[in-house]
């Protein structure tokens, strides 16, 4: 299992940018993929982006072209750069190791105003 801690959320106007961070600790060698998920009020959790050990990355259609997932192995950290933010991006954002099977972060709130 791993422990994950997200940070970087906040309040931003539509069109603005934020960068989320997720720091991992524990059995990091067991991680094959790191992903970002989000949950808006009254809605189910949805997958946002994933990065694999190979470096391959995939994104949900709703964020493709606006968000970028990346990692820094030296810092045991995964990032989500969020550009051109929209009000519909408002949600609590979570990071997960191996699709959540190894652990979930506590979440960080992102609020986009119009």
């Amino acid at each position: 299992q791993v422990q994950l801690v997200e940070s970087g959320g906040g309040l931003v106007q539509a069109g603005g940018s934020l960068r989320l961070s997720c720091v991992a600790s524990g059995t990091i060698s067991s991680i094959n993929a790191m992903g970002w998920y989000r949950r808006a009020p009254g809605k189910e959790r949805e997958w946002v982006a994933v990065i694999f050990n190979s470096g391959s990355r995939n994104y949900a259609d709703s964020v493709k072209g606006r968000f970028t997932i990346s990692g820094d192995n030296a810092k045991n950290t995964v990032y989500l750069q969020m550009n051109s933010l929209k009000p519909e991006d408002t949600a609590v954002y979570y990071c997960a190791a191996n699709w959540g099977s190894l652990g979930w972060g506590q979440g960080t709130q992102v609020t986009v105003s119009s």
Side-chain angles (χ1 to χ4, degrees), residues 16-88:
S17 299
L18 286 173
R19 188 178 75 160
L20 307 183
S21 299
C22 175
V23 180
S25 61
T27 55
I28 297 175
S29 61
S30 297
I31 299 176
N32 298 312
M34 289 290 298
W36 286 95
Y37 296 76
R38 66 187 182 186
R39 184 168 184 169
K43 297 184 178 181
E44 295 184 350
R45 182 181 63 203
E46 68 171 329
W47 168 76
V48 174
V50 63
I51 183 168
F52 298 93
N53 287 352
S54 66
S56 296
R57 294 172 285 186
N58 288 305
Y59 302 90
D61 288 341
S62 59
V63 306
K64 193 173 299 182
R66 300 188 298 121
F67 291 10
T68 302
I69 187 171
S70 62
D72 186 337
N73 289 338
K75 297 182 179 180
N76 295 326
T77 302
V78 174
Y79 304 96
L80 185 68
Q81 179 66 47
M82 310 163 67
N83 298 327
S84 301
L85 283 163
K86 305 174 181 179
E88 49 263 46

